[in-house]
Structures are given as structure tokens and as C-alpha cells.
Amino acid sequence: SSLLTTHNYLKYNKHHQALVVDNDRKPVLYKDQRKDHPRGEPTTDDDIMGSYQMLDAVMQGSNPKRQIERIKQWLNSNVLPDPVEDLIGSLQLNQGRMIVDIIEMLFGKAPQIPKPQQSRDGPMAAVDAFDCILLFLKQYGACVSEVRAEYMLRYDDYVKVVPNQDAQLSTRSTARGRNRSSRVSERRFAIRSNHCWLVVLSQIIRVFFFSRISWKTLRGLPPTPVSTAFSAAEKWSNATDPSCTGSNLYSVAEAVLLKWLSMHMSFHFPNKGKDVATKAGKPFDMSSDWSRLSNFEGDLRDCRAFAACVMSYIPSSIPRLDPQRDYGMVAVPTSEDDLERNATLLLDTLQEYGLDPHIIPHELMEGLSLIHI
């Protein structure tokens, strides 16, 4: 389970699911049995067919370009030695050479692309190369079964490949369990291509980057008052933490990230338990009185969790962000103006320290899970 894998499914079925979570147990997604929820209907365009019918309906209601733009900015800042402007266009060139390099930089090992045969040069060789990359990702646990190599091409190459599928690819398609398809329009191709590349990039991040995130790696970060307050009562191990393992919605890494954010937010934006303890002259037990974040959408759109992490690791930012000070963060946002104030203050503070997240306040306020991740 991983939000990076199930995001589109959850978006399509958002009115049919209910998330149940508490501080000591794993987040669990249940099916909502009520029948009165609206549900999106698949589009009926003539060029929609087969297994891509639902995906087309889902992607029409989303904006994969913005999600791809966020991934591009992350890759430019953390992975790629030479930043790119057009991520998808760069990935489509040279038979997927760039995606091979990204995998090697994140994983230390790259898929081996065989030398193309003379009879399968040009676009056909690119399809074979993308098939090898997809097979490599599947071997390491990536969920890319909905991706077709043909949709990873440029459209002009796709046009050259698809008309020949019935004659030249029927044996290959049958052997690999792939249904033959007719050519789709350029507009429909753009939707499917963006979706396929978004899936591939998200799965590469999930398999080769998120897999490194654990309590052990987070414990290796510089110590903060937050980690000190929690470490006495918490077991810093994925295997023994029931609130981070076994979820049918989040991977262990995603659950760990949510709990890590929860710890920082509870320290800097405490609930009423701290005030009660202080008035009674008793110590505040953070291990038993803290606010659990349960999702990457609504729970993060007020920016308090992000601001709390900044205050923990950059103490000099506290005078600017502290909700107890004038013009600081709004501790309990109740309006869109409060949310915008928090988002703007957070981004301005980050830029003062030379940290530019390349995001605008309204993107944080919208609470899109993939952008927040």
C-alpha cells in the first residue's frame, strides 16, 4: 500500500471511502457503505476503450501537469546534475536514457537496455527500451502495470508505431498479455502519456527513495527538543510501532512521515493538554497528549506542520513563526484568510533562509496530497 500508488483510485472513489485513525493504531481505509454519494461517470468519447476507460475519466478531473511540475522541481533540486525545463520531453528522448540515469542515481543500479536489432530501430527500439525499464521497475516492486510503453513515446513516434501494431506487434502483444489498441487522438494521447509518466516517476520515488525513510534514518537527523521529548517514550523502530505498519492506505515510509510531522506540530502547536498540565503544575507528557495527522491533504493545508519542522531545525525562525507572537502563524485557522496568512508566512520565512520550495501559497492551501508529499 502507498498513497503514491493509490492516489488516482482514491480520488475517483473519494465519496466511497472513510479513513479511521487514532494516535496508537495504523490508519485504515474503510469502504463507505452509504449509497447517496455522487460518483464520476466515465466519459463516452469514441476513442476511449478497454482498461483505460476509467483512467481517462479520472485524469480528466485531475491536473497531472501540476504534479509532474512538482516532481520536476524536486528532481532538478535533488537528483539531476543538469536541470531541465521540459521534463516529459527530455524523458522521451534517447530511448529513455534519462530515466535510466535517474534510477541509477537513486538506486545505484540501472536497467540494462539491450542493443536494438536492425529490424527494430527508431520508435520500435524506443518501445523495447521502455518495456525493459518497466520490467526492471516491476522486479523491484513498482506498480506500473497500467503503463504502456507506447504512451511513453512522443506523439509523432507513437503514430509511427501504432498503425503497425496489428501486423508487427500482434505476436509481442499477445505474448506479454497486452491488448491491441487503435490509435488515439493527440489530445487523448497527451492525457494518457502524462498519466503514464506520472505513474512511472511516482513509483521510482516510492521504490528507490521513500524506501530509505524509517525511524532509524529520521533519528539520525540532528537532535531537536522534539525528538528528545518523544524518544523517551517512543520506540524508534518501524517493526514495533503499530501506528506505522500494516496500513492499507499508506506505506511504512508515508506513515512514518505523517507521525514525524505530527510530533513536531504537537510540540510547537500543542492542544489544550499542555495548558491544563501547565496550570496544574504538572509536566506535559507529549507521548500521550499529541495531535495525530492522518492524511497529506486537509491536515497539512494550514501549514502548521511544515512551520513546526522549520522551527525545530531552524530555531532562529521561531520569532517569525511562533503562534504566540504578533504576526506569527495562526494557531487555529478558521478562515481562508488565516490559511493564506500561514502559507505566505511559511514561504517567506523559507526564502529568507535561502530555501525556495518553488510553490505558491494557494498550492499549499489546496491540500493536494501528491504536491504535499
Side-chain angles (χ1 to χ4, degrees):
S1 299
S2 170
L3 191 60
L4 289 173
T5 302
T6 60
H7 175 264
N8 286 326
Y9 169 81
L10 295 174
K11 183 178 180 65
Y12 187 74
N13 294 278
K14 62 183 178 181
H15 297 296
H16 296 261
Q17 310 291 338
L19 181 64
V20 177
V21 64
D22 61 40
N23 287 354
D24 301 319
R25 297 178 183 175
K26 60 193 176 187
V28 178
L29 193 71
Y30 289 97
K31 184 176 181 180
D32 194 334
Q33 300 298 332
R34 289 175 294 175
K35 305 296 185 181
D36 57 344
H37 293 306
R39 184 168 184 169
E41 294 297 331
T43 181
T44 57
D45 288 8
D46 293 337
D47 56 356
I48 296 180
M49 61 197 71
S51 61
Y52 268 78
Q53 183 173 359
M54 180 176 290
L55 287 176
D56 286 329
V58 172
M59 297 310 292
Q60 281 189 340
S62 63
N63 194 339
K65 290 184 179 180
R66 288 181 59 190
Q67 299 169 12
I68 292 172
E69 179 67 17
R70 298 303 306 156
I71 293 178
K72 183 195 80 172
Q73 292 168 354
W74 183 83
L75 289 172
N76 283 341
S77 301
N78 299 280
V79 180
L80 297 176
D82 300 314
V84 297
E85 289 295 329
D86 181 8
L87 177 60
I88 302 302
S90 300
L91 292 169
Q92 292 169 333
L93 297 175
N94 300 323
Q95 299 180 6
R97 184 68 248 177
M98 182 177 171
I99 202 73
V100 172
D101 292 340
I102 289 175
I103 293 173
E104 186 172 16
M105 282 183 278
L106 288 175
F107 184 50
K109 180 180 179 181
Q112 298 299 315
I113 309 297
K115 187 176 180 180
Q117 302 175 3
Q118 274 190 329
S119 59
R120 298 181 65 81
D121 56 356
M124 294 301 301
V127 171
D128 292 339
F130 287 133
D131 269 332
C132 289
I133 294 171
L134 293 174
L135 179 60
F136 179 87
L137 293 176
K138 290 178 182 178
Q139 291 173 340
Y140 286 92
C143 300
V144 292
S145 58
E146 63 197 80
V147 177
R148 295 181 184 174
E150 290 83 355
Y151 293 135
M152 299 172 72
L153 299 170
R154 296 179 302 177
Y155 186 70
D156 55 347
D157 290 334
Y158 165 80
V159 170
K160 297 175 184 176
V161 169
V162 172
N164 295 327
Q165 279 190 333
D166 291 338
Q168 299 179 17
L169 297 183
S170 58
T171 302
R172 167 174 162 270
S173 298
T174 302
R176 299 188 183 184
R178 177 180 297 162
N179 296 323
R180 288 178 291 174
S181 59
S182 302
R183 186 198 303 179
V184 299
S185 66
E186 186 171 2
R187 180 182 66 86
R188 183 69 59 198
F189 173 84
I191 294 174
R192 296 185 180 182
S193 180
N194 284 337
H195 170 73
C196 287
W197 278 112
L198 180 61
V199 169
V200 169
L201 292 169
S202 297
Q203 290 300 306
I204 288 174
I205 293 173
R206 180 183 74 85
V207 173
F208 301 126
F209 181 75
F210 266 43
S211 59
R212 305 176 189 174
I213 299 175
S214 66
W215 282 125
K216 182 177 180 180
T217 56
L218 293 179
R219 192 178 184 183
L221 295 174
T224 67
V226 178
S227 59
T228 302
F230 271 91
S231 59
E234 292 286 326
K235 295 181 179 180
W236 293 73
S237 169
N238 300 333
T240 58
D241 190 341
S243 67
C244 294
T245 57
S247 172
N248 65 347
L249 174 61
Y250 300 125
S251 66
V252 171
E254 291 165 349
V256 167
L257 279 178
L258 279 175
K259 187 168 184 179
W260 181 73
L261 287 169
S262 301
M263 290 162 49
H264 287 278
M265 192 180 79
S266 296
F267 185 88
H268 293 285
F269 296 88
N271 55 28
K272 294 182 179 180
K274 185 172 184 179
D275 296 333
V276 173
T278 302
K279 291 179 181 179
K282 299 178 180 179
F284 175 52
D285 184 5
M286 291 191 64
S287 65
S288 61
D289 194 1
W290 60 294
S291 301
R292 176 75 178 271
L293 300 173
S294 62
N295 62 77
F296 288 94
E297 296 183 347
D299 284 359
L300 298 182
R301 65 190 298 259
D302 61 17
C303 296
R304 293 185 302 161
F306 299 135
C309 291
V310 175
M311 288 190 283
S312 293
Y313 290 98
I314 310 178
S316 59
S317 68
I318 293 178
R320 180 99 187 252
L321 298 173
D322 190 347
Q324 303 297 326
R325 302 183 182 233
D326 293 338
Y327 307 107
M329 298 285 289
V330 179
V332 185
T334 57
S335 66
E336 290 296 313
D337 289 340
D338 290 343
L339 295 176
E340 184 172 6
R341 171 180 166 177
N342 281 0
T344 302
L345 182 59
L346 171 66
L347 296 178
D348 288 347
T349 303
L350 289 174
Q351 290 177 353
E352 285 185 5
Y353 288 93
L355 304 172
D356 188 357
H358 301 285
I359 196 170
I360 61 177
H362 283 282
E363 286 183 314
L364 289 173
M365 294 165 57
E366 286 176 358
L368 299 179
S369 56
L370 289 188
I371 288 180
H372 280 168
I373 290 180

